[in-house]
Amino acid sequence: MSKPSPARYRTTNWSSYNAALRKRGSMLIWIDREMAWLAPHKGRLGRPPVFSDAAIQFCLSVKVLFKLPLRQTAGMVASLLRLAGLNWSVPDFSTLCRRQKTLAVQIPYRCSDGPLNLLVDSTGIKFLGDGEWQARKHGAQGRRQWRKVHLAMDTATSDIRAVEFTPSRDGDSPILPELLGQIPEDEQIGTVTADGAYDTRRCHAAIADRQATPIIPIRRNGRAWKEDGPAAKARNETLRATKHYGRAFWKYWTGYHARSRVEAKMRCLKAFGERIAARDPDRQTAEIHIRVALMNRFNALGTAEIVRVA
């Protein structure tokens, strides 16, 4: 019996997607001439900040985008401003380092037309320890340290709508309510798709509170819950459907395999670097949020529209 031929796909908007890819490499695409570069005076005690949060986020975005140290970041930002014809002063490296700890990063995103369908997953990212090659050749010289990034992605726009950054010892399921809490209350959530690690009462209750539909496979040897609420009823319906039709058909019928898109988004997150440069937890959080803001900005420039042809 011959093996079936692999599926073939075609990009339907190649011309616009090719232009979007070229824009991603433009250095001046990140400069907004209407940006409030200097911080407004708020009348508080003490020395007021000179640069606005938008200016600090712009400088740190250049740092993350081109993987530069802080001093080189200041030099590159000064060069970009001169190329753009802007006579703006540039914060020095100590200002960038200090402001990164308290920076509230603004993450742009696009709203979908209908209910929000979320894909949820997490990954680990290293911030301390030897590289892979050195550890394999010479052995690990010290303890490696990791942190976890939790993402919730919109299927319609491929934008990251919620992000959490936690220690490596934290599990996945306790973070889902916090991810859903970042979605505005007036925005309807249609479905939440996640893997079996989120098959807990806390996750199903958080999804039911937002009147959304969970697409979460039942854990191996999972049993029925006591139907004491809508969350348990929805979970037991999934259990009955899985036992009746089989796990493979249930995943195909519910569209569970779309979760691979958020796994691909994790690879995009690590394309900015396999490790994070900051050591302080607050600065690490700001760095991860800046990576997410850059990815959403890339999506806004244009994404590929792919259809299956065979």
Side-chain angles (χ1 to χ4, degrees):
M1 185 176 180
S2 60
K3 295 178 61 177
S5 57
R8 293 186 300 168
Y9 299 88
R10 182 171 63 90
T11 303
T12 59
N13 64 331
W14 178 248
S15 58
S16 59
Y17 181 52
N18 182 44
L21 292 178
R22 293 174 62 90
K23 289 180 180 179
R24 293 182 184 184
S26 174
M27 293 187 296
L28 298 182
I29 194 66
W30 307 102
I31 298 179
D32 182 9
R33 295 178 178 273
E34 304 299 327
M35 181 192 314
W37 189 259
L38 300 179
H41 294 285
K42 298 182 180 180
R44 298 178 180 176
L45 296 177
R47 181 181 178 184
V50 177
F51 301 96
S52 64
D53 288 346
I56 300 299
Q57 181 172 340
F58 168 75
C59 295
L60 294 177
S61 298
V62 172
K63 175 186 182 298
V64 172
L65 190 61
F66 298 99
K67 304 175 185 178
L68 299 174
L70 288 175
R71 289 178 175 85
Q72 295 181 17
T73 299
M76 187 168 188
V77 169
S79 300
L80 291 176
L81 295 180
R82 285 197 299 268
L83 289 175
L86 300 173
N87 188 21
W88 295 349
S89 57
V90 179
D92 56 15
F93 73 95
S94 62
T95 301
L96 294 176
C97 182
R98 184 179 66 255
R99 294 282 298 275
Q100 182 178 354
K101 186 173 183 178
T102 59
L103 179 65
V105 179
Q106 299 298 319
I107 300 178
Y109 62 86
R110 295 166 295 168
C111 294
S112 54
D113 296 333
L116 185 64
N117 298 315
L118 295 176
L119 307 175
V120 179
D121 201 3
S122 66
T123 187
I125 189 167
K126 184 168 57 177
F127 73 92
L128 191 64
D130 299 330
E132 301 295 334
W133 180 87
Q134 184 176 355
R136 180 176 298 182
K137 186 173 181 62
H138 302 288
Q141 303 297 320
R143 182 182 177 184
R144 296 184 177 185
Q145 297 191 29
W146 302 75
R147 290 179 70 87
K148 295 184 73 173
V149 182
H150 308 260
L151 300 180
M153 188 186 82
D154 181 11
T155 58
T157 62
S158 297
D159 287 348
I160 302 299
R161 292 299 310 271
V163 56
E164 284 289 340
F165 193 58
T166 65
S168 58
R169 63 180 178 271
D170 291 357
D172 294 344
S173 58
I175 308 301
L176 181 60
E178 299 181 16
L179 291 174
L180 297 181
Q182 297 182 22
I183 307 300
E185 291 291 340
D186 58 349
E187 189 169 359
Q188 181 183 1
I189 301 178
T191 60
V192 178
T193 305
D195 58 23
Y198 297 87
D199 182 29
T200 63
R201 289 185 178 272
R202 179 184 300 180
C203 292
H204 281 277
I207 296 173
D209 290 342
R210 297 301 301 264
Q211 300 180 355
T213 302
I215 304 179
I216 301 175
I218 306 300
R219 294 187 179 186
R220 297 292 180 181
N221 302 323
R223 298 181 179 180
W225 292 349
K226 180 181 178 181
E227 295 191 0
D228 52 359
K233 292 181 180 179
R235 192 261 184 188
N236 289 341
E237 286 292 336
T238 300
L239 178 61
R240 285 189 287 267
T242 302
K243 289 183 177 180
H244 186 270
Y245 296 105
R247 181 179 292 264
F249 181 80
W250 176 85
K251 290 182 177 181
Y252 176 79
W253 175 56
T254 57
Y256 170 78
H257 295 293
R259 198 182 63 86
S260 61
R261 294 177 55 189
V262 71
E263 295 177 351
K265 190 64 68 172
M266 296 296 185
R267 293 195 295 269
C268 297
L269 180 76
K270 294 184 178 180
F272 294 104
E274 290 291 334
R275 68 168 67 201
I276 46 181
R279 295 293 179 265
D280 180 82
D282 294 330
R283 294 184 176 92
Q284 291 173 351
T285 301
E287 184 175 341
I288 291 297
H289 285 185
I290 287 175
R291 291 191 183 194
V292 172
L294 290 174
M295 291 193 300
N296 286 358
R297 181 67 186 277
F298 283 157
N299 288 335
L301 294 176
T303 56
E305 297 177 1
I306 302 175
V307 297
R308 183 172 178 173
V309 296

